[in-house]
């Protein structure tokens, strides 16, 4: 699969009122305000309705697995009463790490849309590229780079402020 995902992949309408990436960006900003790494995610149902939204909660929960993606996938599964999120879309501000990408495989996420690429910690277009592996159980469609500059700026500004002048 390419950075653009499969040909004909359904990508939620971005840049419109209530757009999913805008919601994810709001969650990322809220996470930063709580002292969390600014990553936000939204899980959309097959009809495009928001099933769950969250920002990182690693520090607050003392839980290294409390990435925004994990939180929305778990919440949506509980809401739908099934561990399989077939035809659902995960929208996240940062390329999912290997843990979150692997969880998306097991949740059977239909598609992933992300903002900033993560050359150091990504698991979709970087690192292990889980969906390209022959032994991958399920391969969601994916597209990266959606509002990439804005998502990258959130992360860059957060870490610059933490390092100080």
């Amino acid at each position: 699969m390419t950075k653009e995902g499969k040909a004909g992949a359904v990508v939620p309408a971005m840049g419109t009122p209530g757009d999913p990436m805008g919601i994810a960006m709001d969650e990322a900003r809220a996470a930063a305000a709580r002292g969390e790494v600014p990553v936000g995610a939204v899980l959309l149902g097959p009809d495009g309705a928001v099933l769950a939204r969250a920002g990182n909660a690693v520090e607050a929960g003392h839980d290294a697995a409390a990435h925004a993606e994990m939180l929305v996938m778990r919440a949506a599964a509980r809401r739908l009463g099934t561990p399989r999120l077939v035809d659902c879309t995960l929208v996240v501000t940062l390329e999912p790490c290997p843990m979150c990408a692997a969880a998306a495989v097991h949740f059977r996420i239909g598609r992933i849309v992300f903002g900033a690429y993560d050359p150091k910690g990504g698991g979709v277009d970087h690192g292990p590229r889980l969906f390209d592996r022959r032994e991958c159980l399920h391969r969601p469609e994916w597209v990266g780079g959606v509002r990439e500059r804005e998502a990258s700026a959130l992360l860059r500004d957060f870490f610059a402020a933490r390092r100080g002048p």
Side-chain angles (χ1 to χ4, degrees):
M1 193 162 326
T2 67
K3 289 181 182 177
E4 290 77 34
K6 288 183 180 175
V10 177
V11 177
M14 304 291 163
T16 58
D19 94 78
M21 187 59 80
I23 295 168
M25 293 288 186
D26 290 344
E27 291 292 336
R29 286 185 201 88
R34 297 188 306 269
E36 300 280 352
V37 173
V39 177
V42 176
L43 203 295
L44 305 173
D47 62 353
V50 174
L51 296 176
R53 58 187 285 172
N56 274 359
V58 171
E59 302 302 328
H62 309 290
D63 179 359
H67 291 192
E69 303 96 303
M70 297 295 289
L71 298 174
V72 298
M73 288 187 287
R74 289 173 180 157
R78 280 191 302 273
R79 182 172 176 182
L80 294 176
T82 178
R84 305 220 178 19
L85 301 173
V86 178
D87 295 326
C88 290
T89 301
L90 173 63
V91 180
V92 60
T93 58
L94 180 65
E95 177 181 353
C97 71
M99 173 185 69
C100 294
V105 167
H106 290 282
F107 276 105
R108 303 299 196 263
I109 295 291
R111 66 203 53 83
I112 299 172
V113 178
F114 65 85
Y117 288 92
D118 188 354
K120 288 184 179 178
V124 176
D125 192 51
H126 295 90
R129 296 183 176 178
L130 291 178
F131 308 144
D132 290 340
R133 298 181 63 88
R134 185 175 46 94
E135 59 275 3
C136 186
L137 303 172
H138 168 76
R139 290 177 178 80
E141 299 172 356
W142 65 272
V143 61
V146 176
R147 293 174 67 176
E148 180 177 11
R149 287 186 199 143
E150 183 180 355
S152 294
L154 278 173
L155 290 158
R156 187 176 47 255
D157 294 348
F158 175 81
F159 287 112
R162 308 270 294 179
R163 285 189 290 272

mmCIF file of all heavy atoms in Angstrom, residues 48-90:
data_model
loop_
_atom_site.group_PDB
_atom_site.id
_atom_site.type_symbol
_atom_site.label_atom_id
_atom_site.label_comp_id
_atom_site.label_asym_id
_atom_site.label_seq_id
_atom_site.Cartn_x
_atom_site.Cartn_y
_atom_site.Cartn_z
ATOM 1 N N GLY A 48 -20.080 7.153 9.309
ATOM 2 C CA GLY A 48 -19.364 8.415 9.491
ATOM 3 C C GLY A 48 -19.636 9.097 10.818
ATOM 4 O O GLY A 48 -19.037 10.135 11.116
ATOM 5 N N ALA A 49 -20.520 8.532 11.637
ATOM 6 C CA ALA A 49 -20.830 9.124 12.943
ATOM 7 C C ALA A 49 -19.657 8.899 13.900
ATOM 8 O O ALA A 49 -19.004 7.859 13.867
ATOM 9 C CB ALA A 49 -22.093 8.497 13.522
ATOM 10 N N VAL A 50 -19.422 9.875 14.756
ATOM 11 C CA VAL A 50 -18.354 9.761 15.751
ATOM 12 C C VAL A 50 -18.780 8.778 16.833
ATOM 13 O O VAL A 50 -19.788 8.985 17.510
ATOM 14 C CB VAL A 50 -18.017 11.143 16.372
ATOM 15 C CG1 VAL A 50 -17.022 10.998 17.510
ATOM 16 C CG2 VAL A 50 -17.498 12.103 15.309
ATOM 17 N N LEU A 51 -17.999 7.708 16.984
ATOM 18 C CA LEU A 51 -18.265 6.715 18.027
ATOM 19 C C LEU A 51 -17.470 7.011 19.286
ATOM 20 O O LEU A 51 -17.911 6.704 20.388
ATOM 21 C CB LEU A 51 -17.916 5.317 17.520
ATOM 22 C CG LEU A 51 -18.731 4.789 16.355
ATOM 23 C CD1 LEU A 51 -18.198 3.430 15.902
ATOM 24 C CD2 LEU A 51 -20.204 4.678 16.736
ATOM 25 N N ALA A 52 -16.273 7.562 19.116
ATOM 26 C CA ALA A 52 -15.418 7.863 20.264
ATOM 27 C C ALA A 52 -14.380 8.892 19.857
ATOM 28 O O ALA A 52 -14.008 8.981 18.689
ATOM 29 C CB ALA A 52 -14.732 6.599 20.760
ATOM 30 N N ARG A 53 -13.924 9.661 20.847
ATOM 31 C CA ARG A 53 -12.866 10.647 20.635
ATOM 32 C C ARG A 53 -12.041 10.727 21.904
ATOM 33 O O ARG A 53 -12.580 10.575 22.997
ATOM 34 C CB ARG A 53 -13.453 12.004 20.251
ATOM 35 C CG ARG A 53 -14.416 12.556 21.272
ATOM 36 C CD ARG A 53 -15.135 13.803 20.830
ATOM 37 N NE ARG A 53 -14.265 14.972 20.876
ATOM 38 C CZ ARG A 53 -14.595 16.161 20.405
ATOM 39 N NH1 ARG A 53 -15.773 16.349 19.855
ATOM 40 N NH2 ARG A 53 -13.760 17.163 20.478
ATOM 41 N N ALA A 54 -10.733 10.938 21.736
ATOM 42 C CA ALA A 54 -9.857 10.990 22.912
ATOM 43 C C ALA A 54 -8.504 11.576 22.525
ATOM 44 O O ALA A 54 -8.121 11.571 21.360
ATOM 45 C CB ALA A 54 -9.655 9.597 23.498
ATOM 46 N N GLY A 55 -7.820 12.048 23.549
ATOM 47 C CA GLY A 55 -6.431 12.452 23.416
ATOM 48 C C GLY A 55 -5.592 11.516 24.259
ATOM 49 O O GLY A 55 -6.119 10.756 25.078
ATOM 50 N N ASN A 56 -4.303 11.551 24.062
ATOM 51 C CA ASN A 56 -3.414 10.713 24.867
ATOM 52 C C ASN A 56 -3.701 10.899 26.355
ATOM 53 O O ASN A 56 -4.006 12.005 26.799
ATOM 54 C CB ASN A 56 -1.948 11.081 24.593
ATOM 55 C CG ASN A 56 -1.374 10.350 23.405
ATOM 56 O OD1 ASN A 56 -2.031 9.546 22.765
ATOM 57 N ND2 ASN A 56 -0.115 10.640 23.106
ATOM 58 N N ALA A 57 -3.577 9.827 27.112
ATOM 59 C CA ALA A 57 -3.795 9.861 28.562
ATOM 60 C C ALA A 57 -2.745 9.011 29.275
ATOM 61 O O ALA A 57 -3.017 8.433 30.318
ATOM 62 C CB ALA A 57 -5.206 9.392 28.889
ATOM 63 N N VAL A 58 -1.564 8.935 28.712
ATOM 64 C CA VAL A 58 -0.478 8.120 29.258
ATOM 65 C C VAL A 58 -0.074 8.586 30.650
ATOM 66 O O VAL A 58 0.010 7.790 31.586
ATOM 67 C CB VAL A 58 0.733 8.140 28.298
ATOM 68 C CG1 VAL A 58 1.955 7.500 28.927
ATOM 69 C CG2 VAL A 58 0.368 7.459 26.979
ATOM 70 N N GLU A 59 0.186 9.881 30.788
ATOM 71 C CA GLU A 59 0.662 10.423 32.066
ATOM 72 C C GLU A 59 -0.435 10.378 33.127
ATOM 73 O O GLU A 59 -0.198 9.948 34.250
ATOM 74 C CB GLU A 59 1.173 11.853 31.885
ATOM 75 C CG GLU A 59 2.301 11.995 30.872
ATOM 76 C CD GLU A 59 3.519 11.155 31.190
ATOM 77 O OE1 GLU A 59 3.812 10.919 32.388
ATOM 78 O OE2 GLU A 59 4.195 10.718 30.237
ATOM 79 N N ALA A 60 -1.631 10.803 32.759
ATOM 80 C CA ALA A 60 -2.733 10.848 33.724
ATOM 81 C C ALA A 60 -3.073 9.465 34.270
ATOM 82 O O ALA A 60 -3.363 9.315 35.452
ATOM 83 C CB ALA A 60 -3.963 11.479 33.084
ATOM 84 N N GLY A 61 -3.039 8.466 33.396
ATOM 85 C CA GLY A 61 -3.405 7.115 33.822
ATOM 86 C C GLY A 61 -2.233 6.242 34.218
ATOM 87 O O GLY A 61 -2.428 5.078 34.551
ATOM 88 N N HIS A 62 -1.026 6.804 34.148
ATOM 89 C CA HIS A 62 0.171 6.003 34.423
ATOM 90 C C HIS A 62 0.109 4.708 33.614
ATOM 91 O O HIS A 62 0.344 3.610 34.124
ATOM 92 C CB HIS A 62 0.318 5.702 35.921
ATOM 93 C CG HIS A 62 0.206 6.920 36.775
ATOM 94 N ND1 HIS A 62 1.163 7.913 36.803
ATOM 95 C CD2 HIS A 62 -0.780 7.335 37.607
ATOM 96 C CE1 HIS A 62 0.782 8.865 37.622
ATOM 97 N NE2 HIS A 62 -0.401 8.546 38.115
ATOM 98 N N ASP A 63 -0.238 4.875 32.329
ATOM 99 C CA ASP A 63 -0.504 3.738 31.453
ATOM 100 C C ASP A 63 0.153 4.001 30.100
ATOM 101 O O ASP A 63 -0.343 4.796 29.310
ATOM 102 C CB ASP A 63 -2.024 3.577 31.303
ATOM 103 C CG ASP A 63 -2.422 2.426 30.393
ATOM 104 O OD1 ASP A 63 -1.537 1.733 29.833
ATOM 105 O OD2 ASP A 63 -3.636 2.226 30.238
ATOM 106 N N ALA A 64 1.264 3.318 29.844
ATOM 107 C CA ALA A 64 2.003 3.512 28.590
ATOM 108 C C ALA A 64 1.184 3.135 27.356
ATOM 109 O O ALA A 64 1.506 3.556 26.244
ATOM 110 C CB ALA A 64 3.299 2.705 28.615
ATOM 111 N N ALA A 65 0.122 2.380 27.533
ATOM 112 C CA ALA A 65 -0.725 1.982 26.412
ATOM 113 C C ALA A 65 -1.918 2.908 26.206
ATOM 114 O O ALA A 65 -2.736 2.657 25.325
ATOM 115 C CB ALA A 65 -1.213 0.551 26.612
ATOM 116 N N ALA A 66 -2.018 3.988 26.977
ATOM 117 C CA ALA A 66 -3.169 4.882 26.873
ATOM 118 C C ALA A 66 -2.972 5.910 25.764
ATOM 119 O O ALA A 66 -3.175 7.106 25.936
ATOM 120 C CB ALA A 66 -3.441 5.558 28.206
ATOM 121 N N HIS A 67 -2.597 5.410 24.584
ATOM 122 C CA HIS A 67 -2.503 6.256 23.402
ATOM 123 C C HIS A 67 -3.924 6.580 22.938
ATOM 124 O O HIS A 67 -4.853 5.786 23.140
ATOM 125 C CB HIS A 67 -1.758 5.544 22.286
ATOM 126 C CG HIS A 67 -0.297 5.346 22.559
ATOM 127 N ND1 HIS A 67 0.575 4.947 21.578
ATOM 128 C CD2 HIS A 67 0.440 5.493 23.690
ATOM 129 C CE1 HIS A 67 1.795 4.851 22.089
ATOM 130 N NE2 HIS A 67 1.733 5.174 23.382
ATOM 131 N N ALA A 68 -4.075 7.731 22.305
ATOM 132 C CA ALA A 68 -5.397 8.168 21.850
ATOM 133 C C ALA A 68 -6.083 7.097 21.001
ATOM 134 O O ALA A 68 -7.280 6.839 21.161
ATOM 135 C CB ALA A 68 -5.268 9.482 21.067
ATOM 136 N N GLU A 69 -5.319 6.454 20.110
ATOM 137 C CA GLU A 69 -5.899 5.433 19.237
ATOM 138 C C GLU A 69 -6.450 4.257 20.037
ATOM 139 O O GLU A 69 -7.545 3.757 19.763
ATOM 140 C CB GLU A 69 -4.847 4.881 18.255
ATOM 141 C CG GLU A 69 -4.188 5.913 17.391
ATOM 142 C CD GLU A 69 -2.846 6.377 17.956
ATOM 143 O OE1 GLU A 69 -2.795 6.860 19.114
ATOM 144 O OE2 GLU A 69 -1.847 6.275 17.242
ATOM 145 N N MET A 70 -5.687 3.807 21.017
ATOM 146 C CA MET A 70 -6.132 2.681 21.848
ATOM 147 C C MET A 70 -7.409 3.047 22.597
ATOM 148 O O MET A 70 -8.341 2.238 22.686
ATOM 149 C CB MET A 70 -5.036 2.284 22.843
ATOM 150 C CG MET A 70 -3.758 1.795 22.201
ATOM 151 S SD MET A 70 -3.939 0.255 21.286
ATOM 152 C CE MET A 70 -4.157 -0.895 22.630
ATOM 153 N N LEU A 71 -7.448 4.262 23.123
ATOM 154 C CA LEU A 71 -8.616 4.695 23.893
ATOM 155 C C LEU A 71 -9.871 4.731 23.035
ATOM 156 O O LEU A 71 -10.934 4.261 23.467
ATOM 157 C CB LEU A 71 -8.345 6.069 24.521
ATOM 158 C CG LEU A 71 -7.177 6.113 25.517
ATOM 159 C CD1 LEU A 71 -6.927 7.551 25.961
ATOM 160 C CD2 LEU A 71 -7.425 5.197 26.699
ATOM 161 N N VAL A 72 -9.775 5.267 21.801
ATOM 162 C CA VAL A 72 -10.989 5.340 20.974
ATOM 163 C C VAL A 72 -11.405 3.983 20.440
ATOM 164 O O VAL A 72 -12.602 3.708 20.327
ATOM 165 C CB VAL A 72 -10.875 6.383 19.828
ATOM 166 C CG1 VAL A 72 -10.685 7.785 20.384
ATOM 167 C CG2 VAL A 72 -9.810 6.043 18.821
ATOM 168 N N MET A 73 -10.437 3.121 20.135
ATOM 169 C CA MET A 73 -10.822 1.783 19.656
ATOM 170 C C MET A 73 -11.519 0.996 20.760
ATOM 171 O O MET A 73 -12.543 0.352 20.525
ATOM 172 C CB MET A 73 -9.605 1.028 19.111
ATOM 173 C CG MET A 73 -9.117 1.582 17.777
ATOM 174 S SD MET A 73 -7.799 0.600 16.988
ATOM 175 C CE MET A 73 -6.393 0.980 18.033
ATOM 176 N N ARG A 74 -10.990 1.070 21.973
ATOM 177 C CA ARG A 74 -11.624 0.373 23.105
ATOM 178 C C ARG A 74 -13.017 0.932 23.377
ATOM 179 O O ARG A 74 -13.975 0.175 23.589
ATOM 180 C CB ARG A 74 -10.760 0.510 24.347
ATOM 181 C CG ARG A 74 -9.480 -0.287 24.298
ATOM 182 C CD ARG A 74 -8.603 0.038 25.483
ATOM 183 N NE ARG A 74 -7.375 -0.708 25.474
ATOM 184 C CZ ARG A 74 -6.279 -0.328 26.113
ATOM 185 N NH1 ARG A 74 -6.265 0.796 26.824
ATOM 186 N NH2 ARG A 74 -5.199 -1.060 26.062
ATOM 187 N N ALA A 75 -13.139 2.260 23.389
ATOM 188 C CA ALA A 75 -14.435 2.890 23.671
ATOM 189 C C ALA A 75 -15.461 2.548 22.594
ATOM 190 O O ALA A 75 -16.616 2.247 22.906
ATOM 191 C CB ALA A 75 -14.272 4.404 23.800
ATOM 192 N N ALA A 76 -15.052 2.582 21.341
ATOM 193 C CA ALA A 76 -15.991 2.265 20.251
ATOM 194 C C ALA A 76 -16.414 0.801 20.308
ATOM 195 O O ALA A 76 -17.592 0.489 20.085
ATOM 196 C CB ALA A 76 -15.348 2.586 18.904
ATOM 197 N N ALA A 77 -15.484 -0.086 20.619
ATOM 198 C CA ALA A 77 -15.829 -1.508 20.728
ATOM 199 C C ALA A 77 -16.851 -1.731 21.840
ATOM 200 O O ALA A 77 -17.819 -2.476 21.675
ATOM 201 C CB ALA A 77 -14.571 -2.338 20.966
ATOM 202 N N ARG A 78 -16.626 -1.060 22.978
ATOM 203 C CA ARG A 78 -17.600 -1.168 24.086
ATOM 204 C C ARG A 78 -18.955 -0.614 23.651
ATOM 205 O O ARG A 78 -19.996 -1.219 23.915
ATOM 206 C CB ARG A 78 -17.103 -0.410 25.315
ATOM 207 C CG ARG A 78 -16.070 -1.162 26.128
ATOM 208 C CD ARG A 78 -15.805 -0.510 27.478
ATOM 209 N NE ARG A 78 -15.355 0.868 27.371
ATOM 210 C CZ ARG A 78 -14.084 1.245 27.222
ATOM 211 N NH1 ARG A 78 -13.130 0.336 27.155
ATOM 212 N NH2 ARG A 78 -13.770 2.524 27.138
ATOM 213 N N ARG A 79 -18.933 0.536 22.993
ATOM 214 C CA ARG A 79 -20.182 1.173 22.571
ATOM 215 C C ARG A 79 -20.962 0.292 21.593
ATOM 216 O O ARG A 79 -22.192 0.194 21.674
ATOM 217 C CB ARG A 79 -19.878 2.532 21.939
ATOM 218 C CG ARG A 79 -21.096 3.281 21.512
ATOM 219 C CD ARG A 79 -20.755 4.678 21.079
ATOM 220 N NE ARG A 79 -21.929 5.353 20.579
ATOM 221 C CZ ARG A 79 -21.938 6.567 20.103
ATOM 222 N NH1 ARG A 79 -20.833 7.282 20.094
ATOM 223 N NH2 ARG A 79 -23.044 7.110 19.657
ATOM 224 N N LEU A 80 -20.242 -0.341 20.661
ATOM 225 C CA LEU A 80 -20.901 -1.183 19.660
ATOM 226 C C LEU A 80 -21.154 -2.603 20.157
ATOM 227 O O LEU A 80 -21.883 -3.366 19.525
ATOM 228 C CB LEU A 80 -20.060 -1.232 18.378
ATOM 229 C CG LEU A 80 -19.930 0.088 17.620
ATOM 230 C CD1 LEU A 80 -18.985 -0.079 16.429
ATOM 231 C CD2 LEU A 80 -21.295 0.603 17.170
ATOM 232 N N GLY A 81 -20.526 -2.971 21.265
ATOM 233 C CA GLY A 81 -20.709 -4.312 21.811
ATOM 234 C C GLY A 81 -20.021 -5.389 21.002
ATOM 235 O O GLY A 81 -20.491 -6.529 20.953
ATOM 236 N N THR A 82 -18.914 -5.050 20.369
ATOM 237 C CA THR A 82 -18.166 -6.014 19.572
ATOM 238 C C THR A 82 -16.692 -5.621 19.537
ATOM 239 O O THR A 82 -16.378 -4.431 19.521
ATOM 240 C CB THR A 82 -18.706 -6.094 18.125
ATOM 241 O OG1 THR A 82 -17.906 -7.031 17.384
ATOM 242 C CG2 THR A 82 -18.680 -4.746 17.423
ATOM 243 N N PRO A 83 -15.803 -6.616 19.521
ATOM 244 C CA PRO A 83 -14.380 -6.289 19.413
ATOM 245 C C PRO A 83 -13.935 -6.016 17.982
ATOM 246 O O PRO A 83 -12.777 -5.706 17.741
ATOM 247 C CB PRO A 83 -13.694 -7.544 19.958
ATOM 248 C CG PRO A 83 -14.637 -8.640 19.621
ATOM 249 C CD PRO A 83 -16.019 -8.035 19.744
ATOM 250 N N ARG A 84 -14.840 -6.114 17.029
ATOM 251 C CA ARG A 84 -14.498 -5.913 15.622
ATOM 252 C C ARG A 84 -15.129 -4.629 15.105
ATOM 253 O O ARG A 84 -16.347 -4.471 15.146
ATOM 254 C CB ARG A 84 -14.939 -7.102 14.803
ATOM 255 C CG ARG A 84 -14.338 -8.368 15.388
ATOM 256 C CD ARG A 84 -13.854 -9.389 14.501
ATOM 257 N NE ARG A 84 -13.254 -10.561 15.134
ATOM 258 C CZ ARG A 84 -13.360 -11.004 16.363
ATOM 259 N NH1 ARG A 84 -14.089 -10.376 17.230
ATOM 260 N NH2 ARG A 84 -12.759 -12.095 16.773
ATOM 261 N N LEU A 85 -14.280 -3.742 14.645
ATOM 262 C CA LEU A 85 -14.732 -2.423 14.181
ATOM 263 C C LEU A 85 -14.656 -2.355 12.653
ATOM 264 O O LEU A 85 -14.101 -1.421 12.065
ATOM 265 C CB LEU A 85 -13.883 -1.332 14.840
ATOM 266 C CG LEU A 85 -13.937 -1.339 16.370
ATOM 267 C CD1 LEU A 85 -12.937 -0.355 16.953
ATOM 268 C CD2 LEU A 85 -15.344 -1.055 16.874
ATOM 269 N N VAL A 86 -15.246 -3.363 12.029
ATOM 270 C CA VAL A 86 -15.241 -3.489 10.575
ATOM 271 C C VAL A 86 -15.910 -2.269 9.951
ATOM 272 O O VAL A 86 -16.946 -1.801 10.436
ATOM 273 C CB VAL A 86 -15.967 -4.791 10.158
ATOM 274 C CG1 VAL A 86 -16.022 -4.930 8.645
ATOM 275 C CG2 VAL A 86 -15.293 -5.993 10.793
ATOM 276 N N ASP A 87 -15.317 -1.755 8.896
ATOM 277 C CA ASP A 87 -15.828 -0.592 8.164
ATOM 278 C C ASP A 87 -15.793 0.698 8.967
ATOM 279 O O ASP A 87 -16.398 1.689 8.573
ATOM 280 C CB ASP A 87 -17.237 -0.833 7.614
ATOM 281 C CG ASP A 87 -17.257 -1.921 6.556
ATOM 282 O OD1 ASP A 87 -16.264 -2.034 5.806
ATOM 283 O OD2 ASP A 87 -18.252 -2.664 6.482
ATOM 284 N N CYS A 88 -15.108 0.699 10.105
ATOM 285 C CA CYS A 88 -14.928 1.926 10.882
ATOM 286 C C CYS A 88 -13.634 2.608 10.455
ATOM 287 O O CYS A 88 -12.746 1.974 9.880
ATOM 288 C CB CYS A 88 -14.878 1.616 12.377
ATOM 289 S SG CYS A 88 -16.475 1.076 13.042
ATOM 290 N N THR A 89 -13.555 3.901 10.711
ATOM 291 C CA THR A 89 -12.390 4.702 10.334
ATOM 292 C C THR A 89 -11.753 5.301 11.573
ATOM 293 O O THR A 89 -12.436 5.948 12.365
ATOM 294 C CB THR A 89 -12.796 5.833 9.364
ATOM 295 O OG1 THR A 89 -13.382 5.252 8.194
ATOM 296 C CG2 THR A 89 -11.595 6.691 8.969
ATOM 297 N N LEU A 90 -10.453 5.083 11.706
ATOM 298 C CA LEU A 90 -9.663 5.683 12.774
ATOM 299 C C LEU A 90 -8.976 6.914 12.203
ATOM 300 O O LEU A 90 -8.237 6.815 11.227
ATOM 301 C CB LEU A 90 -8.617 4.690 13.281
ATOM 302 C CG LEU A 90 -7.595 5.217 14.285
ATOM 303 C CD1 LEU A 90 -8.268 5.661 15.579
ATOM 304 C CD2 LEU A 90 -6.535 4.152 14.554
#
